[in-house]
Amino acid sequence: MKHTIKRIVLDAAQKAYENGALLSDQVPEMEIEEPRHQSHGDFSTNFAMISAAIQKMPPRKIAESLISSIETLAETSGEIGSLIEKVEIAGPGFINFFLSNKAWYPVLDRILEQDKRYGASDMGKNEKVQVEFVSANPTGPLHVGHGRGAAVGDSVGNILSFAGFDVQKEFYINDSGRQIRTLGTSVWIRLLQKAGKEIKFPEDCYQGDYIMDLASEIHEKEGDRFFQKDEDEAIAHCAKFAAKKILKGIKEDLSDFGVTFDQWFSEQSLYDAGRVQKAIDDFKSKDLIYEKDGALWFRSQDFGDEKNRVVVRNNGLTTYFASDIAYHMEKYERGFDRVIDVWGADHHGYIKRIDASVVASGRKSEHFEVILVQLVNLLRRGKPFQMSKRAGDFVTLKNIVDEVGKDAARFMFLSRSYDSGLDFDLELAKQKNSNNPVYYVQYVHARITGILLKAKQENIIQDIDFNKGKNLYLLNAAEETNLIKILDAFKENVEKSAQTLHPHVIFTYLMSLASAFHSYYNKHKVITDDKELTLARLSLVLGVKKVIRNALTLLGVTAPERM
């Protein structure tokens, strides 16, 4: 509806110019907003005030000219006349629009017609975007922090795709370097301990019980002969076995969490293909990498970083930054116009150096974005809580999903902006009442399914998913108009979420829609003795059901038929 009002304003401005009421046909970028107070109408525009300098006229005079043109258009256009009830000037020159009830009825027809595509947008114009998220080292199970990052990254990808972008989701497997060797060492020492050797377990090794489980698996497969291996060979074998096993577990945990990837990209493959060395050589040829104290340094300070960064240590070993440079260069070579990385908040200091390498490789800084996901505080009944754990120092994502379920976990992870800390109350997430946000929203979908099923059983409708709005002119209650207004705003919220990369925008929208439905349902019966009114209200609640489903789908949450 905002687009419709904007079109009417533009047409009226053009007509006012042609009639000599305005001095210029130039139109600045105006705002069409919903006033805070209902008494100020359905929409308001600042057109008159921002046009004052161009038109060389007082804003109120511009507003008067515009309203006169709108009234003329309403007389000649049945569409505009049926949409607008009245237009008023407010304050220094705001123009307020009051719409008729019938202006909102086409929204329901669009929802029923477009179904799963309602709310979709072509805003992205098929721009190729890669969203890389989770990307946990395969050195241990996913923890609750990874869970929030997974929910955010997956939802951002879904929302961008729905908004018209060509999206690929990717997991970067850090399967090379020191951490993988530490993993192998950890398992090897546990193996030696199982064999009765008294060895103190190093503090810098991985501490979780899962390391002991991996050692037991290797011993079961290889037997005592494994202890005859050369230590380096044994550690390498342990590292390879453990990383593969852990990665399999990571994939299973993410699948259970509703997250799938288009691509799993191996860090080791960059070395195997010579891409890391190629990136270093390329930067050296451009004098972007120089030698100092036996090490190679990237001139990241020239691109806004606080200092230059080592890419090859003086012992000849490359740093993680070196492979990250190569990895991001490879992303753009695959044809992505825009790269979005989802990282934990502790990686904040890493952004500028990666951004510097992207710019140094010939890309613009705006083609690279980082979403920093803040920490999750686990609570139980409002109090800090530490779940029993076998992973070392953290609660696993699997623990959370097993206790509260995928839907509740995802919805709670997305209930606040990712750049704010999140309190996650496990008991709240399991409640079957309106205090639990996911239950509050999903129950709307299930309740409407029940209403439609009853209508079919009573032969009021032939099909639960009937696709034509009936008798919509009978929807005159204030709560009905309010519901349709919220349904109309879905596409705008999708685009806002895509622009800001904030999936909690959809969460907030869902809570508003659910609240409006509950208020409506508590005041009005859907199935009444008046069949014509019943059909109109069934069309309304069916529209609500479809939008609830579409919005939940963007967040990776199911829309249950019954609860």
Side-chain angles (χ1 to χ4, degrees), residues 99 177 182 411 474 477 527:
L99 306 188
T182 301
F411 209 62
L474 295 172
I527 298 177

Side-chain angles (χ1 to χ4, degrees), residues 182 185-194 196-207 211-212 231:
T182 301
T185 302
S186 303
V187 175
W188 172 238
I189 292 174
R190 290 301 191 199
L191 268 167
L192 294 175
Q193 289 177 338
K194 282 178 70 67
K197 296 195 176 183
E198 293 186 11
I199 303 175
K200 184 180 179 182
F201 198 74
E203 289 185 6
D204 61 348
C205 282
Y206 295 105
Q207 304 292 322
I211 297 293
M212 187 68 79
E231 182 172 307

Side-chain angles (χ1 to χ4, degrees), residues 248-263:
K248 181 174 182 289
I250 287 173
K251 289 183 177 182
E252 289 171 354
D253 289 349
L254 287 170
S255 178
D256 291 343
F257 194 51
V259 176
T260 56
F261 290 90
D262 301 301
Q263 174 95 340

Side-chain angles (χ1 to χ4, degrees), residues 402-456:
D402 285 349
E403 177 160 352
V404 307
K406 169 186 79 77
D407 286 346
R410 288 187 68 127
F411 209 62
M412 295 296 277
F413 280 137
L414 298 169
S415 62
R416 292 198 68 189
S417 172
Y418 52 69
D419 49 21
S420 300
L422 174 69
D423 290 337
F424 189 131
D425 194 308
L426 294 159
E427 291 303 317
L428 175 62
K430 292 188 292 184
Q431 288 180 16
K432 305 295 184 185
N433 57 43
S434 60
N435 292 326
N436 179 357
V438 72
Y439 184 89
Y440 186 68
V441 173
Q442 286 181 320
Y443 190 61
V444 173
H445 190 272
R447 170 165 269 174
I448 294 173
T449 301
I451 294 170
L452 294 167
L453 180 59
K454 183 180 179 183
K456 183 182 179 186

Side-chain angles (χ1 to χ4, degrees), residues 246-281:
I246 291 170
L247 184 61
K248 181 174 182 289
I250 287 173
K251 289 183 177 182
E252 289 171 354
D253 289 349
L254 287 170
S255 178
D256 291 343
F257 194 51
V259 176
T260 56
F261 290 90
D262 301 301
Q263 174 95 340
W264 293 77
F265 192 98
S266 161
E267 179 187 9
Q268 185 59 45
S269 71
L270 293 169
Y271 287 97
D272 295 342
R275 283 189 169 274
V276 178
Q277 189 58 50
K278 182 178 181 299
I280 292 171
D281 292 342

